[in-house]
Amino acid sequence: MSAHLLENLNPEQRAAVTLPHESALILAGAGSGKTRVLTTRMVWLIQTGQVSPHGVLAVTFTNKAAKEMMTRISAMLPINTRGMWVGTFHGLANRLLRTHYREAGLPQSFQILDSQDQLSAIKRLMKAMNVDTEKYEPKKVQRFINGHKEAGRRARDAEAFDEYSMRMAELYEAYDAQCQREGVADFPELLLRSYELLYRNEPLRQHYQDRFRHILIDEFQDTNTLQYRWLKLFAGPHTALFAVGDDDQSIYAFRGANTANMAEFEREFAHGNVIKLEQNYRSHGHILTAANTLISQNAHRLGKNLWTAEGVGEPIRVFEAYSDQDEASFVVDEVRALNREGMSLSDMALLYRSNAQSRVLEHALFSASVPYRVYGGLRFFERQEIKHALAYLRLLTNPEDDGAFLRVVNFPARGIGARTLEQLAVSAVRSGTSLWQAACTGGGKMAGFAKLIEDIKQATRDLPLAEAIDHVVEASGLADYYRADKDGADRLENLNELVNAATLFAEESEEGTLDAFLAHAALEAGEHQAGAGHDALQLMTVHAAKGLEFHAVFITGLEEGLFPHEQSANEENGLEEERRLMYVAITRARRRLYLSHAQSRMLHGQIRYSLPSRFMDELPEQVLLNLNRRSEPAYPSSTLRGTSGYSAPAPAPRSQSQHGNDTGYRVGQSVAHAKFGTGIIIDFEGRGSDARVQVKFREAGTKWLALAYAKLSPA
């Protein structure tokens, strides 16, 4: 039976599955069959009598992965898997606490708070303590508490060096006391409480160390500091740890993932016992060559090289668009061509670095009647911040819209509570008016809100559509609210993209009014996302794509500042994580991969010029097929062709000063400078010997240069 179990494994997979009773690090590359190795290892240990099903502890990160693992085990072994300890970190921590609730200091039927429940509990506490919620925002308090818990610190250990942080630590301590009184635990508490239980209770710790002779961990590169410490408490002197992971796919530093845990595990447990799974069963050779070459630029990695027996396959197609709309049109044409050739839409994925990028792509797909589905997220016009902004806009055109009124009357928070709104609703019903009319005749904070809307209405009366929307986003407080939110950067980008959408709509529409734009938004929000089970193109961020694979993958927006993201320059090892993210994106593709970038992209209602991503320069030229055929270096010509027969329209004519007149240089042209390196011309002024250009350099930033002295050359 065990021989049959091993017969379809490659030598490295077989070596990992049949390891003797010792700890090891399994460095599993993308598409190398790591889940199969992990589950087969468990089955082999049980089948060969080395351990009972109850002597195995297997940990993964998602319920989906845990369920898949259990399903595979059940298919290979005639046993009841229900009693096995296979699950997520939080699921197993909950199981431990349920079993030993007395020792953990919890009631037997303790309840678990999800993120929203936790925030509500914090708000209730702060109200009882009469805490100023403008100075100490509940969401920031929540992040403070969870951040310390995930680092293994209680309130007494929290860093408190000024009045603000000392008050936050007091709130953390008070929150813990409230949870203890009420018999509830939030998600970070599950792991921290179970860690503390095992740490201080030596007999219990000894019991589990004796029980679990084999511990297997999936996606080890995603573990944070506390999770690794939690795992180590289960490891006794006779425990074998089998950690499977890929440091090249560690992309969750923003969630606390510590890729250094892999190197530390090798030193502490594996002692150099590392097995590399490098044979890839997903992608063709050119795709893997690109991925290997790219990731080799990272200095801090354990090192491996993916290969395949499936042949080199097709070259990677590269397209340079002159605008983000041009890029979206190209993608739509290629998707339709592939679909006509027989590839289902669901076998194609459209990836982007930032959620805000989806708006232009969604619009192009909607206009072309291509069914799509946003995986792991919402369509652009369904996102919370966009619906808030649209509600403010709806109030400007129709103050009688009670739905819009209720959505934003207290968002951002302005001290208008549920009780006040109930009284307002009663007053409106009695007088037979809308909530808005009732608010206008009221007083206090409700009157302040009514004045805010009237002031915005007056200020935007004569503004162009995009400027009006920009003003609403700022004056309503939405922009400041998301700027102050640690996790609000993506939402702020989406609000900026709403301004871009209005700019484009005003250019394309015969009636560029606010009413017409709201109708347009409602139509795009209400249609074309495919229903469950229907064939549809998959749209998602690169983060959401991890663990998935598709026949054809489009990676869009490959421009400096976008991918890699501009914030990566300010973060330790930020560029290396961005490169790992690109590696993940590339390795999602089985057969065909497209890389695209745009010379210009609309940002906050204005055209901005960008350099191609540095990642494009890090790919080997021999695996790339450039779909552009340019007669001049500044723009794609009208003869550009993609594989679907796509023809890029010529760029709009520019003014004499922008275009470069008698100097030979023009906006959008790539240039090189001896001191500043390569860049792209983004503005131009003057004539002849007095002309100067503004150049956005890859490394040196944006600079104005006099052409008479700059010594620029075409790049």
Side-chain angles (χ1 to χ4, degrees):
M1 176 69 84
S2 58
H4 176 71
L5 189 68
L6 305 175
E7 64 183 11
N8 292 320
L9 300 179
N10 67 39
E12 292 74 26
Q13 291 174 333
R14 185 184 296 242
V17 168
T18 59
L19 271 171
H21 188 87
E22 60 188 26
S23 295
L25 175 63
I26 312 302
L27 199 57
S32 63
K34 71 175 180 61
T35 305
R36 182 184 184 188
V37 167
L38 196 67
T39 52
T40 307
R41 168 72 172 169
M42 294 169 65
V43 172
W44 185 79
L45 288 170
I46 296 169
Q47 199 176 79
T48 56
Q50 298 183 53
V51 68
S52 74
H54 299 287
V56 175
L57 174 67
V59 191
T60 187
F61 273 84
T62 65
N63 289 317
K64 179 183 177 182
K67 185 177 180 181
E68 181 183 352
M69 205 178 294
M70 295 291 274
T71 301
R72 292 193 186 195
I73 294 169
S74 298
M76 290 188 279
L77 275 179
I79 62 171
N80 185 352
T81 58
R82 183 170 296 180
M84 294 182 67
W85 280 54
V86 177
T88 64
F89 279 98
H90 290 106
L92 293 173
N94 175 57
R95 185 169 183 172
L96 184 70
L97 294 175
R98 297 286 177 191
T99 306
H100 305 285
Y101 63 91
R102 287 193 184 90
E103 295 94 327
L106 289 167
Q108 184 174 8
S109 58
F110 72 88
Q111 298 300 304
I112 300 173
L113 302 178
D114 62 21
S115 181
Q116 195 57 49
D117 291 335
Q118 182 192 30
L119 184 60
S120 297
I122 289 170
K123 289 178 178 178
R124 182 159 43 85
L125 170 76
M126 295 176 71
K127 185 176 182 180
M129 294 177 65
N130 198 28
V131 176
D132 183 353
T133 55
E134 291 190 5
K135 183 176 182 180
Y136 300 94
E137 293 181 31
K139 278 194 173 182
K140 289 185 178 180
V141 175
Q142 183 182 35
R143 285 196 297 270
F144 179 89
I145 292 170
N146 291 346
H148 281 287
K149 286 189 177 186
E150 288 165 0
R153 293 189 295 267
R154 288 292 180 192
R156 61 181 176 273
D157 305 313
E159 295 180 359
F161 46 85
D162 57 16
E163 180 185 352
Y164 183 84
S165 56
M166 289 175 66
R167 185 58 166 161
M168 294 287 270
E170 289 173 5
L171 291 171
Y172 178 9
E173 187 172 19
Y175 167 76
D176 263 359
Q178 174 179 285
C179 289
Q180 189 66 34
R181 284 194 308 273
E182 298 177 359
V184 296
D186 53 52
F187 271 91
E189 181 70 19
L190 293 175
L191 203 63
L192 179 55
R193 182 74 67 109
S194 62
Y195 169 81
E196 292 171 339
L197 170 65
L198 290 173
Y199 182 81
R200 67 171 181 258
N201 193 322
E202 186 176 355
L204 192 63
R205 184 170 70 249
Q206 185 70 50
H207 164 76
Y208 283 105
Q209 289 179 352
D210 291 341
R211 172 178 174 174
F212 296 126
R213 303 298 303 278
H214 289 271
I215 299 176
L216 301 93
I217 312 105
D218 190 18
E219 303 285 9
F220 191 76
Q221 76 279 353
D222 293 336
T223 54
N224 63 28
T225 301
L226 180 59
Q227 287 164 342
Y228 185 36
R229 287 165 58 186
W230 184 87
L231 283 167
K232 290 196 286 187
L233 288 180
F234 285 99
H238 305 294
T239 304
L241 284 86
F242 187 87
V244 181
D246 183 3
D247 57 327
D248 291 334
Q249 294 190 76
S250 180
I251 58 173
Y252 295 119
F254 66 96
R255 294 183 188 169
N258 183 7
T259 188
N261 284 349
M262 294 191 75
E264 189 174 337
F265 177 87
E266 184 183 354
R267 290 192 302 270
E268 289 189 307
F269 293 98
H271 306 300
N273 189 16
V274 178
I275 295 177
K276 297 181 181 182
L277 304 182
E278 297 174 298
Q279 183 173 359
N280 178 282
Y281 294 92
R282 175 188 301 157
S283 307
H284 285 166
H286 282 329
I287 293 170
L288 297 182
T289 298
N292 289 330
T293 306
L294 175 88
I295 202 64
S296 68
Q297 302 293 319
N298 273 3
H300 305 100
R301 59 189 296 259
L302 298 175
K304 64 182 181 314
N305 206 54
L306 296 177
W307 63 276
T308 180
E310 298 299 315
V312 297
E314 302 177 17
I316 297 169
R317 291 158 169 81
V318 178
F319 181 74
E320 180 178 17
Y322 74 84
S323 70
D324 47 357
Q325 297 168 55
D326 181 30
E327 179 187 44
S329 296
F330 164 75
V331 169
V332 169
D333 284 352
E334 289 292 324
V335 165
R336 295 169 79 177
L338 290 172
N339 191 230
R340 285 195 301 270
E341 293 167 8
M343 187 181 294
S344 67
L345 292 173
S346 57
D347 279 330
M348 301 179 235
L350 206 170
L351 308 185
Y352 35 83
R353 173 63 180 85
S354 167
N355 264 312
Q357 291 171 251
S358 80
R359 204 275 311 165
V360 174
L361 299 165
E362 286 188 59
H363 177 70
L365 292 166
F366 173 82
S367 300
S369 299
V370 177
Y372 69 90
R373 183 178 299 110
V374 178
Y375 180 89
L378 297 171
R379 289 175 293 171
F380 181 79
F381 285 108
E382 290 179 340
R383 293 167 191 165
Q384 178 202 84
E385 60 280 7
I386 299 303
K387 294 184 82 170
H388 286 327
L390 292 176
Y392 276 107
L393 296 172
R394 282 160 53 193
L395 276 183
L396 296 185
T397 63
N398 178 22
E400 311 301 307
D401 186 337
D402 284 353
F405 180 92
L406 288 171
R407 184 172 188 93
V408 298
V409 65
N410 196 41
F411 192 93
R414 46 182 62 91
I416 299 174
R419 179 65 177 162
T420 302
L421 288 175
E422 287 174 9
Q423 293 172 343
L424 185 72
V426 170
S427 174
V429 170
R430 285 176 178 169
S431 58
T433 63
S434 65
L435 294 175
W436 168 260
Q437 290 175 336
C440 289
T441 57
K445 293 175 180 176
M446 198 63 74
F449 173 72
K451 184 178 185 303
L452 170 68
I453 299 300
E454 285 294 342
D455 288 347
I456 293 175
K457 191 171 184 177
Q458 289 298 321
T460 58
R461 188 180 300 278
D462 298 319
L463 291 179
L465 180 61
E467 290 182 34
I469 292 176
D470 190 26
H471 181 85
V472 169
V473 168
E474 291 290 343
S476 65
L478 286 175
D480 285 340
Y481 176 83
Y482 290 117
R483 285 191 192 106
D485 189 341
K486 180 184 177 184
D487 301 319
D490 281 350
R491 298 189 186 278
L492 201 57
E493 283 186 16
N494 285 334
L495 289 172
N496 288 337
E497 188 59 33
L498 183 65
V499 177
N500 296 342
T503 302
L504 179 63
F505 177 79
E507 292 174 355
E508 295 181 343
S509 173
E510 294 181 2
E511 186 185 3
T513 64
L514 180 54
D515 279 333
F517 178 71
L518 289 172
H520 159 77
L523 287 172
E524 287 213 11
E527 297 181 14
H528 241 63
Q529 171 121 320
H534 294 157
D535 189 33
L537 177 68
Q538 307 295 301
L539 273 64
M540 66 195 75
T541 63
V542 181
H543 279 101
K546 186 172 179 290
L548 304 176
E549 56 186 73
F550 305 89
H551 285 323
V553 169
F554 296 80
I555 306 175
T556 61
L558 283 167
E559 297 137 35
E560 283 293 299
L562 194 55
F563 197 2
H565 198 280
E566 59 187 354
Q567 291 180 354
S568 65
N570 303 319
E571 299 168 354
E572 185 179 2
N573 299 322
L575 183 58
E576 291 214 349
E577 174 136 345
E578 288 290 299
R579 190 174 285 111
R580 291 194 293 268
L581 195 59
M582 180 64 177
Y583 175 84
V584 167
I586 291 172
T587 54
R588 299 311 94 197
R590 297 190 190 110
R591 304 203 308 247
R592 184 173 288 195
L593 177 61
Y594 293 86
L595 309 177
S596 64
H597 61 97
Q599 292 182 354
S600 65
R601 191 171 293 273
M602 190 171 289
L603 181 65
H604 209 71
Q606 295 182 333
I607 299 294
R608 302 291 175 88
Y609 291 88
S610 301
L611 291 167
S613 169
R614 69 189 67 195
F615 298 152
M616 301 293 292
D617 295 335
E618 295 172 0
L619 300 176
E621 289 187 10
Q622 67 270 23
V623 304
L624 305 179
L625 172 64
N626 192 331
L627 300 182
N628 299 82
R629 296 290 181 268
R630 296 209 247 165
S631 57
E632 295 184 19
Y635 293 100
S637 73
S638 59
T639 61
L640 301 185
R641 298 287 174 189
T643 56
S644 64
Y646 171 80
S647 176
R654 296 180 171 276
S655 67
Q656 181 82 341
S657 62
Q658 282 182 310
H659 202 57
N661 55 72
D662 56 350
T663 68
Y665 292 98
R666 65 186 68 218
V667 170
Q669 181 174 355
S670 295
V671 293
H673 186 275
K675 179 179 179 181
F676 302 129
T678 58
I680 190 168
I681 297 175
I682 62 174
D683 203 356
F684 198 106
E685 66 180 26
R687 296 178 63 86
S689 60
D690 294 327
R692 65 175 191 153
V693 291
Q694 188 179 34
V695 183
K696 184 176 182 180
F697 290 101
R698 184 189 296 276
E699 302 292 345
T702 302
K703 299 182 182 297
W704 277 101
L705 300 173
L707 281 176
Y709 308 102
K711 296 182 180 179
L712 290 174
S713 60

